Amino acid sequence: MLPTSQKEDTMETSLEKQFSWVEKMVPYLREESPCTVVNLEVLQENLGILEKVQAQAGCKVLVALKAFAMWDTFPLMAQYLSGAAVSSPDEARLAYEMMGKEVHAYAPAYSQKDMREMVEMCDHITFNSFSQWREFRTMMTASQKRIGIRINPEHSEAEVDLYNPCARGSRLGVTLAQFKEEELGEVSGLHFHTLCEQGAEPLVRTLAAVEEKFGRWFPRLIWINMGGGHHITKPGYNRRLLVQTILDFKKRTGLEVILEPGEAVAIGTGVLVSTVLDIVENDGLIAMLDTSATAHMPDTLEMPYRPEVYGARKPGELPFSYRLGGLTCLAGDMIGARGDRGYSFNKPLNVGDKIVFLDMSHYTTVKTTTFNGVRLPSLATWWPDPAEFRLVRRFGYADFKGRLS
Ligand SMILES: Cc1ncc(COP(=O)(O)O)c(C=O)c1O
């Protein structure tokens, strides 16, 4: 059962309201746990918003596969988006084979072997440096694919350095001081990625820095890729400003514009459902779950952040407080345990209860590992009305064995 459904006397958080569909969905899971479930209706709504931006601004919107690559949804995405942004030969191949739309690549560095594969499948390839561009120039010009250089406008908007490509000493992109006009050759576009979960206003400020520093080379280019980090589908995002900014930019510069959000495609779409396996006590109660922070939700430790749990609040806000522990032997395999140290619930937790982590589609399924031999969460989709739960993939021993030797 969902211990959290006893929440009549608790005001719903806004995220809970968004995810109220889990009440109806969880009974369909039966024994399937842990399981990531993506609500296709919400995904479609996000895609609809992105398609509208694409149409109104006259730009291309790609999905960044590094954020969300559940390929069962690629046919749906292909109906709305122009293609995929990829960072490796395997992502390129997945997009090429399973989505069948444009494939745009950028990686901090490519090997000869990577590039031989990617050049066949990608429409755009962006280099992180002029030295990499030099290395692959012969192969690239023979392929007649579009070539880009990533720039670093040295304008920081991201708050956390781990997610700030313009942090001091960043290895990502060419700074103005390192820019070599004489080496542009067949380069037809520039790429910048500077934002992280941000609104249109930081983009406006970034664009001003980009134009001031690199605008002098725009007349010899065809396109610009404004990267990801645009929280376009998040409630409150100023889409009108985004569209106007792109329209004005295009008018001013004549460049084609490409956006490659990842998170904005999948935000608000998915949950990770887990099950309580045991309750132990040490300096408070700890619910042991069949999931793991380090193996299934690494960003909660890396960033770190405290994911919201359906029906739960901060410790002490509701009568029954717990920390939530993961399955691996890592001492710190605790979910949301730093700072506020856990969660509280309206009812005591029992073995078998479901714990639902909210907003878990992006940067989770793509980052999972089988550390400790812990199985990867199953993947499923949900359509609310008429209700349809579809188990897309269950992982097992072969997946663990297959990545070792
Ligand atoms: C080059 C590039 N493009 C796009 C993205 C997608 O960003 P987001 O998922 O924040 O929209 C990233 C994320 O790190 C990135 O590095």
Side-chain angles (χ1 to χ4, degrees):
M1 70 170 277
L2 198 61
T4 51
S5 52
Q6 310 287 322
K7 59 183 175 54
E8 301 83 44
D9 51 345
T10 314
M11 285 285 285
E12 274 183 322
T13 65
S14 57
L15 201 59
E16 265 173 1
K17 255 189 217 133
Q18 248 179 288
F19 282 93
S20 56
W21 54 271
V22 305
E23 294 271 356
K24 193 166 161 198
M25 180 276 293
V26 162
Y28 284 80
L29 280 162
R30 299 174 195 275
E31 299 258 292
E32 204 63 49
S33 179
C35 185
T36 301
V37 187
V38 173
N39 184 326
L40 294 177
E41 188 179 52
V42 183
L43 180 62
Q44 206 169 12
E45 278 164 22
N46 285 352
L47 292 168
I49 291 171
L50 295 169
E51 186 190 41
K52 209 163 155 193
V53 166
Q54 209 171 220
Q56 290 176 341
C59 66
K60 283 183 180 163
V61 179
L62 314 169
V63 52
L65 294 195
K66 71 191 77 182
F68 184 66
M70 190 171 159
W71 48 268
D72 187 69
T73 65
F74 283 7
L76 178 66
M77 292 208 233
Q79 290 172 37
Y80 294 85
L81 304 180
S82 294
V86 305
S87 330
S88 59
D90 289 349
E91 277 191 356
R93 185 166 171 189
L94 196 67
Y96 184 76
E97 289 184 352
M98 307 307 294
M99 197 180 290
K101 303 217 49 177
E102 288 185 25
V103 182
H104 295 220
Y106 159 76
Y110 304 101
S111 68
Q112 285 282 343
K113 193 159 60 65
D114 286 352
M115 188 53 74
R116 278 196 297 274
E117 284 185 53
M118 292 178 84
V119 80
E120 299 295 324
M121 300 177 286
C122 299
D123 302 285
H124 280 213
I125 295 189
T126 293
F127 294 95
N128 189 56
S129 67
F130 278 96
S131 42
Q132 277 251 302
W133 161 222
R134 263 197 315 275
E135 181 176 346
F136 294 107
R137 187 163 180 180
T138 311
M139 201 193 299
M140 285 304 303
T141 45
S143 75
Q144 300 201 320
K145 300 296 173 76
R146 279 186 164 188
I147 300 148
I149 290 283
R150 176 165 174 172
I151 51 170
N152 172 358
E154 296 174 271
H155 171 88
S156 291
E157 290 284 351
E159 282 159 18
V160 182
D161 266 1
L162 184 63
Y163 299 100
N164 181 8
C166 297
R168 191 153 174 261
S170 170
R171 75 194 196 290
L172 304 173
V174 179
T175 59
L176 181 60
Q178 301 296 324
F179 200 85
K180 298 184 170 71
E181 180 181 5
E182 65 283 7
E183 291 197 17
L184 276 173
E186 295 81 2
V187 168
S188 62
L190 296 180
H191 179 297
F192 68 87
H193 168 77
T194 58
L195 306 182
C196 179
E197 301 185 338
Q198 278 163 315
E201 298 77 6
L203 174 66
V204 172
R205 294 192 290 269
T206 304
L207 213 45
V210 167
E211 284 192 69
E212 189 197 319
K213 291 185 170 137
F214 299 92
R216 71 193 87 160
W217 294 295
F218 288 175
R220 58 177 293 174
L221 301 172
I222 299 171
W223 55 274
I224 190 157
N225 184 323
M226 300 184 184
H230 317 278
H231 243 181
I232 301 170
T233 53
K234 187 157 182 172
Y237 182 96
N238 191 343
R239 292 196 278 271
R240 194 176 294 201
L241 178 62
L242 174 69
V243 168
Q244 199 53 52
T245 302
I246 295 174
L247 288 173
D248 292 345
F249 179 85
K250 285 181 15 177
K251 200 164 165 201
R252 236 178 9 255
T253 64
L255 296 181
E256 296 169 19
V257 172
I258 302 157
L259 304 177
E260 48 178 43
E263 192 158 327
V265 174
I267 194 171
T269 63
V271 294
L272 175 60
V273 185
S274 63
T275 304
V276 177
L277 301 181
D278 192 13
I279 310 276
V280 297
E281 188 166 6
N282 185 0
D283 191 18
L285 294 170
I286 305 170
M288 307 290 273
L289 307 180
D290 63 356
T291 186
S292 157
T294 186
H296 295 166
M297 299 172 250
D299 271 359
T300 63
L301 297 180
E302 226 177 76
M303 203 167 187
Y305 81 101
R306 178 182 178 281
E308 215 173 292
V309 166
Y310 193 74
R313 296 291 177 273
K314 288 185 180 159
E317 284 187 20
L318 296 175
F320 303 96
S321 292
Y322 296 82
R323 280 174 292 144
L324 302 179
L327 267 188
T328 76
C329 62
L330 176 73
D333 192 358
M334 304 285 291
I335 302 128
R338 298 195 198 176
D340 287 328
R341 285 172 57 92
Y343 299 83
S344 64
F345 298 83
N346 257 338
K347 286 180 55 177
L349 292 181
N350 290 304
V351 170
D353 282 344
K354 296 280 187 262
I355 300 294
V356 182
F357 294 95
L358 302 183
D359 218 0
M360 281 288 163
S361 299
H362 50 276
Y363 294 108
T364 48
T365 48
V366 288
K367 282 189 151 191
T368 51
T369 71
T370 57
F371 181 47
N372 276 218
V374 169
R375 286 216 172 135
L376 301 171
S378 303
L379 297 172
T381 56
W382 169 253
W383 187 269
D385 196 15
E388 190 191 347
F389 176 84
R390 195 164 66 84
L391 182 65
V392 175
R393 181 99 150 87
R394 182 183 290 139
F395 299 92
Y397 173 61
D399 299 290
F400 173 63
K401 189 179 174 201
R403 58 186 296 283
L404 299 166
S405 69

